[in-house]
Amino acid sequence: MRVGILDILGSPARRPVDVAYQLLITKQYASITPQAISVWCRRAGHETFYATYYGIGQPHRLLPMDLDVVLICCYTQVSHIAYALAKLYRAAGVRTVVGGPHARAFPVDCLRFFDLVVRECDPPLVADILAGQFDRGSIISADQPFDDVPTVEERMPEIRASAFFWGRKPLLLSAVPMLASMGCPYRCDFCIDWSSTYRQLPTDRLSADLRYLATHQP
C-alpha cells in the first residue's frame, strides 16, 4: 500500500522572523511516534512517505495525493490545518487517520473530518488500520503506548527529512528525538498523559542509539 505520514508542527509563517524561527527551531520538534509509524509501515513492505510541516511551504504538497492511507499527527493549535488536509485527501479517495495530542483531547470533533481517530497506537494497531479492520467513524486505541521504539538507525530517513537542512545536512540545532521511558510518573489529571503508566524502556536500546549517533553524526 501507499502510506503517507504527516507530522504538523506549526502554523504558517506570516513574517520574516517567523520564517527564521520555524526553519531553525520549530522544524526540530518532530515527534517520535510518526517516525515510528513510518518505520513500522516500511518494515511491513508498504511504500511509505513521511514529511513534517513546520509552517513553511504548502502542506498539501508534502505528500502525494494518490495514497491509500494518510496518517496525520497534530496538536490542537494547528488542528485546522489537519482538518483542511483531511478534506482534500477524503475528496481524493484516501482513507484518513488522525493521532497525536489533539486526537486524544478531542476525538469526537476529529471524526467530523477523519475516518479514524487513534488515541494510542502500536505496531499491531497500525497493521490493523492498513488492513481495513476498523469501520469509518471509529475511535480506536492500543491497550497502552508502544514499547517498540525503532532505533535511530531505522529512523534515520525520517530524522533526515525532519531535522536536516533540505534532508541532507544537519544544522547546528538539528535534534534527534529519543525516548528513555514511556508514560508519566505523576497522577495529576489535567494533561493528556495523566492516565498513562510510567515505565522505563530498555537502556541497551538507548545506549545503541547513542553509539550509532557518535559514530555517524559526531
Side-chain angles (χ1 to χ4, degrees):
M1 299 179 69
R2 289 169 61 84
V3 183
I5 299 99
L6 179 63
D7 191 3
I8 303 177
L9 307 176
S11 299
R14 302 298 185 189
R15 303 169 299 170
V17 65
D18 294 334
V19 173
Y21 185 87
Q22 304 281 57
L23 184 62
L24 296 176
I25 305 299
T26 304
K27 182 178 171 67
Q28 303 304 321
Y29 288 150
S31 303
I32 284 185
T33 301
Q35 295 183 356
I37 292 173
S38 182
V39 172
W40 298 336
C41 293
R42 192 162 59 243
R43 285 176 184 172
H46 301 292
E47 188 176 4
T48 305
F49 304 87
Y50 166 88
T52 62
Y53 176 71
Y54 45 90
I56 298 177
Q58 299 180 358
H60 67 285
R61 297 186 180 277
L62 295 175
L63 297 176
M65 275 293 170
D66 58 340
L67 299 171
D68 296 301
V69 180
V70 63
L71 302 100
I72 297 177
C73 174
C74 71
Y75 58 97
T76 299
Q77 188 177 352
V78 296
S79 59
H80 60 290
I81 301 174
Y83 287 174
L85 290 172
K87 292 189 71 172
L88 290 175
Y89 278 108
R90 267 188 172 180
V94 181
R95 191 172 180 86
T96 57
V97 184
V98 66
H102 181 67
R104 294 186 63 185
F106 302 101
V108 176
D109 189 68
C110 289
L111 286 178
R112 294 189 298 134
F113 300 93
F114 286 88
D115 297 321
L116 296 175
V117 178
V118 179
R119 286 180 170 272
E120 298 286 356
C121 76
D122 59 8
L125 186 75
V126 171
D128 287 343
I129 291 173
L130 299 182
Q133 297 296 319
F134 302 105
D135 295 330
R136 179 176 175 178
S138 299
I139 299 173
I140 59 179
S141 179
D143 293 334
Q144 61 182 9
F146 60 91
D147 288 325
D148 177 22
V149 182
T151 64
V152 167
E153 184 175 5
E154 285 185 294
R155 289 188 287 118
M156 189 51 66
E158 287 73 26
I159 292 169
R160 289 184 180 276
S162 63
F164 287 15
F165 187 73
W166 297 119
R168 297 183 180 91
K169 294 184 178 180
L171 305 171
L172 291 177
L173 297 176
S174 290
V176 176
M178 291 183 283
L179 288 174
S181 63
M182 296 289 284
C184 179
Y186 303 107
R187 286 295 175 263
C188 42
D189 61 359
F190 53 81
C191 84
I192 60 171
D193 285 324
W194 74 274
S195 61
S196 179
T197 303
Y198 175 81
R199 60 200 183 282
Q200 288 186 316
L201 297 177
T203 56
D204 56 346
R205 174 65 61 88
L206 186 62
S207 298
D209 284 343
L210 292 172
R211 285 194 296 270
Y212 176 84
L213 286 172
T215 302
H216 296 86
Q217 298 295 335

